[in-house]
């Protein structure tokens, strides 16, 4: 209890320094949270496309079913295929009827004979789509091969760019936060120099003197994590309906209570660790003796 009382006295004696430390840590954690949510949203979109058949190969009428089975085995042998599904002419007609069940004129004009059989392929990783498409395009009896190359390639590029930029930017802000914590705690140690000397003279241990400063740094990080989480939560609640209406059917942000609680725990833990580490640097720098 004395430890918390001493920590509170440290903060109360210099509230503006404490506010500056919390503000810069809040900015760091908020930016980290935004990059994390953006990367999570991009990964969710990429996973959505990866879970769908990504390559569809349409066969000519001359292609025999036995040859298609051989092609399936050839694709499976690459170990890059998550699933392969053969769609016969009859199944293609059933799909067509389901998709156009409200337009009887279109149904009357189409029979199974004019629809091609096809093979729907899902890859384990989006980056191998091009290799699988080349295998199919080189196969005789293939009428057309279509796959979402541009969409997936752009998503991979965007996701990688967001992660790299986020790591650099968050790393830079974390460094600034550490320097601010080091400066604030260092100034407080300087102001309490005489008090610290008296504590040493009466036999106080080094850790008894250091712990209030470490707890103060952790408290800065905890408060900054909470504030950053509330700002991120407000941002997610504001933009999620608009993104959901724009990207119909694609889950962008999961805002389940468990996800947000886990996100809160991550921000608070990260903030506390930065605060403790910054305080440790200050204590090590100014309380060596």
């Amino acid at each position: 209890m004395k430890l918390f009382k001493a920590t509170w006295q440290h903060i109360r004696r210099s509230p503006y320094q404490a506010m500056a430390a919390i503000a810069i840590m809040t900015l760091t954690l908020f930016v980290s949270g935004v990059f994390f949510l953006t990367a999570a949203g991009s990964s969710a979109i990429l996973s959505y496309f990866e879970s769908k058949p990504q390559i569809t190969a349409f066969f000519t009428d001359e292609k025999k079913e036995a040859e298609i089975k051989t092609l399936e085995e050839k694709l499976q042998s690459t170990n890059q295929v998550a699933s392969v599904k053969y769609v016969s002419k009859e199944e293609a007609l059933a799909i067509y009827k389901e998709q156009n069940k409200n337009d009887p004129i279109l149904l009357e004009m189409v029979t199974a004979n004019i629809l091609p059989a096809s093979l729907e392929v899902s890859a384990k990783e989006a980056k191998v789509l091009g290799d699988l498409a080349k295998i199919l395009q080189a196969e005789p009896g293939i009428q057309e091969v279509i796959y979402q190359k541009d969409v997936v390639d752009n998503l991979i590029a965007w996701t990688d760019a967001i992660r790299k930029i986020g790591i650099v930017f968050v790393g830079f802000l974390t460094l600034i936060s550490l320097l601010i914590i080091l400066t604030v705690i260092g100034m407080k140690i300087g102001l309490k120099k005489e008090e610290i000397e008296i504590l040493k003279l009466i036999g106080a241990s080094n850790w008894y003197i250091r712990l209030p400063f470490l707890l103060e740094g952790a408290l800065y990080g905890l408060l900054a994590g909470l504030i950053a989480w509330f700002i991120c939560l407000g941002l997610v609640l504001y933009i999620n309906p608009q993104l959901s209406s724009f990207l119909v059917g694609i889950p962008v942000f999961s805002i389940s209570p468990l996800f947000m609680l886990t996100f809160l725990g991550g921000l608070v833990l990260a903030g506390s660790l930065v605060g403790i580490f910054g305080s440790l640097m200050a204590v090590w720098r100014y309380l060596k003796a």
Side-chain angles (χ1 to χ4, degrees):
M1 197 64 189
K2 288 183 178 179
L3 181 62
F4 289 100
K5 187 177 179 181
T7 303
W8 173 244
Q9 287 176 346
H10 288 185
I11 297 174
R12 198 178 58 178
R13 287 176 185 174
S14 52
Y16 297 114
Q17 293 173 348
M19 288 171 63
I22 293 171
I24 192 66
M25 291 186 71
T26 299
L27 176 63
T28 300
L29 293 171
F30 170 68
V31 172
S32 303
V34 168
F35 274 110
F36 172 78
L37 291 173
T38 305
S42 301
S43 296
I45 296 173
L46 186 59
S47 298
Y48 172 81
F49 280 102
E50 287 180 336
S51 67
K52 303 295 179 186
Q54 300 143 335
I55 307 175
T56 304
F58 295 99
F59 299 102
T60 61
D61 292 342
E62 290 74 27
K63 192 75 171 178
K64 306 298 182 188
E65 191 167 340
E67 296 174 322
I68 296 174
K69 291 292 181 186
T70 303
L71 178 59
E72 282 188 44
E73 293 172 0
K74 184 178 180 180
L75 291 171
Q76 295 284 7
S77 67
T78 63
N79 292 322
Q80 296 175 337
V81 174
S83 65
V84 181
K85 181 184 178 184
Y86 172 65
V87 180
S88 65
K89 285 175 170 286
E90 291 72 21
E91 289 171 331
L93 179 62
I95 294 170
Y96 180 84
K97 286 182 175 178
E98 177 62 25
Q99 292 175 342
N100 299 280
K101 58 186 177 184
N102 297 323
D103 196 338
I105 296 177
L106 290 178
L107 296 179
E108 291 176 2
M109 299 170 62
V110 177
T111 64
N113 289 332
I114 67 172
L115 293 174
S118 62
L119 207 59
E120 294 181 345
V121 183
S122 294
K124 290 180 180 177
E125 294 181 273
K127 63 184 181 182
V128 301
L129 283 176
D131 296 335
L132 295 175
K134 287 178 182 175
I135 294 174
L136 289 167
Q137 287 165 343
E139 186 75 14
I142 296 289
Q143 189 179 71
E144 185 181 13
V145 176
I146 58 174
Y147 68 110
Q148 303 162 337
K149 182 177 184 304
D150 292 340
V151 175
V152 175
D153 285 352
N154 286 335
L155 282 172
I156 292 173
W158 272 101
T159 303
D160 288 344
I162 289 169
R163 287 174 181 160
K164 290 175 182 174
I165 294 172
I167 289 172
V168 172
F169 203 52
V170 170
F172 177 69
L173 286 176
T174 301
L175 178 61
I176 292 177
S177 296
L178 285 173
L179 292 175
I180 293 291
I181 295 291
L182 191 152
T183 303
V184 169
I185 299 296
M187 290 174 66
K188 292 191 174 189
I189 291 173
L191 291 172
K192 295 174 67 68
K193 199 169 184 179
E194 292 184 1
E195 187 178 333
I196 291 171
E197 292 296 331
I198 294 173
L199 286 172
K200 286 183 177 180
L201 288 174
I202 62 176
S205 67
N206 287 334
W207 278 110
Y208 180 83
I209 299 170
R210 292 168 179 167
L211 277 177
F213 296 107
L214 298 182
L215 188 60
E216 185 176 349
L219 188 59
Y220 290 162
L222 190 149
L223 291 173
L226 281 173
I227 296 170
W229 181 79
F230 276 112
I231 297 173
C232 288
L233 178 63
L235 190 63
V236 169
L237 293 176
Y238 176 73
I239 67 172
N240 195 52
Q242 300 174 47
L243 284 176
S244 297
S245 62
F246 180 68
L247 302 170
V248 179
I250 303 177
V252 178
F253 288 122
S254 173
I255 53 173
S256 66
L258 179 61
F259 176 83
M260 292 311 295
L261 284 175
T262 305
F263 183 50
L264 170 63
L267 285 179
V268 169
L269 179 63
S272 299
L273 289 176
V274 170
I276 291 172
F277 188 67
S279 301
L280 271 175
M281 291 171 64
V283 167
W284 177 79
R285 173 72 177 81
Y286 297 103
L287 290 178
K288 284 183 179 178

